[in-house]
Amino acid sequence: MLTLSPGATPLAALETLWRQGLPARLDPAARPGVESAADRVRDAAEGAAAVYGVNTGFGKLASVKIAPGDTATLQRNLILSHCCGVGEPLDPATTRLMMALKLLSLGRGASGTRWEVIALIEGMLAANVTPVVPAQGSVGASGDLAPLAHMTAVMIGAGEAIHAGRRLPGAEALAAAGLTPVTLGPKEGLGLINGTQFSTALALAGLFDGWRNLQAALFTSCLSTDAIMGSTAPLEAEIHALRGHRGQIEVAEAMRALMAGSQIRESHREGDARVQDPYCIRCQPQVAGAAVDLLRFAATTLETEANAVTDNPLVVGAGILSGGNFHAEPVAFAADIIALALAEIGAIAQRRVALMVDPTLSHDLPPFLTPDPGLNSGYMIAEVTTAALMSENKHLAHPCSTDSTPTSANQEDHVSMAAHGARRLLRMNANLSVILGVEALCAAQGIDFRAPLRTAPRLQAGIDALRAQAPTLDQDRYLAPEIEAAAGLVRDGVLARAAGLEFAL
């Protein structure tokens, strides 16, 4: 059980929740503030003054005053009418992360929801009642309305949820878990759906997997450097200190440590006619280091957003104020930044794969890394696959945050497009893990050809982990399962861990 501290929950805790499927609850210290705000919203609902979303309609209908006796119907209608999502359901792990983020937002005590609403979300996480949330339908302003409405629908006994491996009507899923639907009070429906938690959860998932891929790329880049007998001189600390970028300095340091003790490297320090390696070898710290800096920048934004209050209106000071914290522009920017980093990590990795299969550039490795070229094609088409995925990721990296369209009768006339900007990161990371998996296969094969010279001990440890899934390619065989297995080792962090690579976000 993870205890979440509103306003102060670190990314590491959220990644643990996402990867391990742990239940979560709010720090009980948040309860007095939550209940105080709920009392103030209840008083406003019973008062004569119009307060948006409390005793009025929504969006363009904000001028319509709602009678106190219709408050519960208003909130229920809001949820049901906003369940307009389409497409494949969001995966359970990211749905649960979204729910935890909603807990953090409500726990700040500015949304006006009662503690029993929070307790139901906690109960759903603990009992593995996971709402079925269609992944399409949010434009990322006025919050992620449709996705969060599908989450909330289960809480009121509507919608659908997964429980004990079965897809059930929401009311049945709650009952099977021993939970009771909630009747929403004033503003509670709005507080639950008016926020950026869907987009933020997807962006965080993209960040977490992106960092795994980045770490694997440090390992595979070193492996490729040794496979083509590249120089380690471009990794020297003095070069990177003169430029001063933190990511670049740290990447070069990590690569030096990974390659320490390589017999292959020592064998060609003298007498090598090559003066410089291609950029995909020589400029790895500059490219991967820039990606590190981008991912860390995005991480800072997303950690802030994960702990933010993003619904509207908000219980602030002495009043209930309307604002625009639901606009997900920070998340959209962060998602675009992550996408750029993923595309470039893959672009330079693909060039290293191309280098290794080309006998004119690989420093005496056989064509396509097969011992009997001609009769065998080796990794010829595996390299083509990486080129296809690299190109796909370049297209997916086109910014989403620069797009907007008016919605809701022009009331919501500028939107962030954060939702699909973050959702594409799942596909981009999947593509990137395959590129890096193929690079690991090719580089390990190249190092096999350098025998009896041995690579660095830490790199060899990673190769050993890879070889447990994919033996040396002596002759052509069905490669698809091995490519998927290698990609899985990248996604699961196995190769980086085997090499003892610790690179902190």
Side-chain angles (χ1 to χ4, degrees):
M1 173 75 73
L2 282 177
T3 298
L4 305 176
S5 299
T9 295
L11 290 186
L14 296 174
E15 182 172 9
T16 298
L17 184 149
W18 179 65
R19 292 198 183 278
Q20 298 182 18
L22 298 178
R25 68 181 185 111
L26 280 185
D27 186 334
R31 184 164 185 167
V34 168
E35 293 183 334
S36 174
D39 289 343
R40 291 171 62 186
V41 167
R42 185 194 62 240
D43 292 343
E46 295 171 353
V51 179
Y52 173 71
V54 176
N55 55 11
T56 73
F58 307 103
K60 198 74 171 179
L61 304 176
S63 60
V64 179
K65 186 77 160 53
I66 305 299
D70 290 330
T71 296
T73 302
L74 171 70
Q75 297 299 316
R76 184 177 179 85
N77 286 349
L78 173 69
I79 301 309
L80 298 178
S81 68
H82 283 52
C83 286
C84 296
V86 298
E88 293 296 315
L90 186 63
D91 65 277
T94 308
T95 302
R96 289 173 60 84
L97 177 58
M98 177 184 73
M99 295 165 70
L101 296 179
K102 180 54 73 175
L103 286 177
L104 284 173
S105 182
L106 298 179
R108 294 286 297 274
S111 300
T113 56
R114 294 164 296 158
W115 191 261
E116 68 182 89
V117 174
I118 289 170
L120 179 55
I121 298 175
E122 293 175 339
M124 291 167 66
L125 288 170
N128 287 307
V129 176
T130 306
V132 175
V133 177
Q136 293 172 274
S138 173
V139 294
S142 219
D144 295 313
L145 294 171
L148 289 170
H150 282 276
M151 177 197 79
T152 307
V154 176
M155 299 173 64
I156 63 173
E160 292 183 297
I162 304 297
H163 178 64
R166 296 187 300 158
R167 183 166 173 166
L168 301 169
E172 290 185 27
L174 290 178
L179 300 172
T180 302
V182 68
T183 299
L184 297 174
K187 190 190 170 291
E188 288 180 337
L190 190 59
L192 285 163
I193 72 171
N194 197 208
T196 67
Q197 287 76 35
F198 174 81
S199 297
T200 304
L202 279 165
L204 285 170
L207 174 69
F208 297 150
D209 271 351
W211 193 255
R212 279 258 179 106
N213 277 324
L214 181 278
Q215 293 183 85
L218 299 187
F219 168 77
T220 58
S221 65
C222 291
L223 214 57
S224 297
T225 299
D226 235 14
I228 63 106
M229 301 185 85
S231 174
T232 55
L235 302 178
E236 291 300 321
E238 292 84 355
I239 295 173
H240 307 287
L242 285 169
R243 198 171 197 185
H245 291 296
R246 176 189 169 194
Q248 178 179 328
I249 291 168
E250 291 182 0
V251 166
E253 180 182 15
M255 292 181 69
R256 290 195 305 272
L258 284 171
M259 297 192 69
S262 169
Q263 294 177 0
I264 297 173
R265 174 63 188 114
E266 295 305 318
S267 72
H268 62 96
R269 285 191 183 273
E270 303 294 336
D272 193 331
R274 297 170 298 172
V275 177
Q276 294 184 131
D277 293 314
Y279 287 179
C280 66
I281 298 295
R282 195 181 352 145
C283 299
Q284 291 169 103
Q286 287 80 4
V287 176
V292 165
D293 290 339
L294 286 185
L295 291 176
R296 284 175 172 160
F297 179 85
T300 298
T301 296
L302 294 176
E303 184 171 72
T304 299
E305 189 74 5
N307 285 279
V309 182
T310 56
D311 64 290
N312 180 64
L314 299 175
V315 181
V316 179
I320 300 175
L321 304 180
S322 288
N325 280 2
F326 50 73
H327 199 298
E329 197 79 356
V331 183
F333 283 158
D336 281 346
I337 288 169
I338 295 168
L340 291 173
L342 299 180
E344 282 300 277
I345 293 167
I348 195 168
Q350 199 284 326
R351 296 318 304 156
R352 294 191 296 264
V353 174
L355 188 72
M356 287 185 284
V357 301
D358 187 343
T360 64
L361 299 172
S362 63
H363 197 56
D364 301 326
L365 292 176
F368 305 107
L369 299 167
T370 177
D372 190 10
L375 180 63
N376 294 280
S377 296
Y379 286 107
M380 178 190 292
I381 303 306
E383 184 269 330
V384 174
T385 296
T386 66
L389 297 179
M390 172 192 68
S391 184
E392 183 177 319
N393 272 5
K394 287 178 180 178
H395 285 277
L396 288 171
H398 184 85
C400 296
S401 59
T402 54
D403 188 21
S404 181
T405 189
T407 62
S408 193
N410 280 299
Q411 176 77 4
E412 298 154 9
D413 60 350
H414 182 276
V415 298
S416 72
M417 301 301 181
H420 65 266
R423 183 163 49 86
R424 68 178 155 166
L425 301 179
L426 303 177
R427 183 173 163 192
M428 292 186 71
N429 271 309
N431 290 344
L432 179 54
S433 68
V434 173
I435 295 171
L436 297 172
V438 171
E439 182 183 12
L441 290 169
C442 290
Q445 183 85 354
I447 284 173
D448 285 347
F449 283 117
R450 302 300 182 188
L453 296 174
R454 294 180 60 82
T455 189
R458 290 174 62 183
L459 295 181
Q460 186 60 52
I463 292 175
D464 292 344
L466 178 67
R467 286 291 178 240
Q469 301 287 330
T472 299
L473 188 65
D474 296 322
Q475 59 184 3
D476 284 352
R477 59 178 180 256
Y478 188 52
L479 283 177
E482 294 180 20
I483 291 173
E484 178 52 38
L489 295 176
V490 169
R491 285 193 301 270
D492 294 339
V494 172
L495 298 182
R497 285 196 302 272
L501 183 60
E502 297 181 4
F503 204 73
L505 180 60

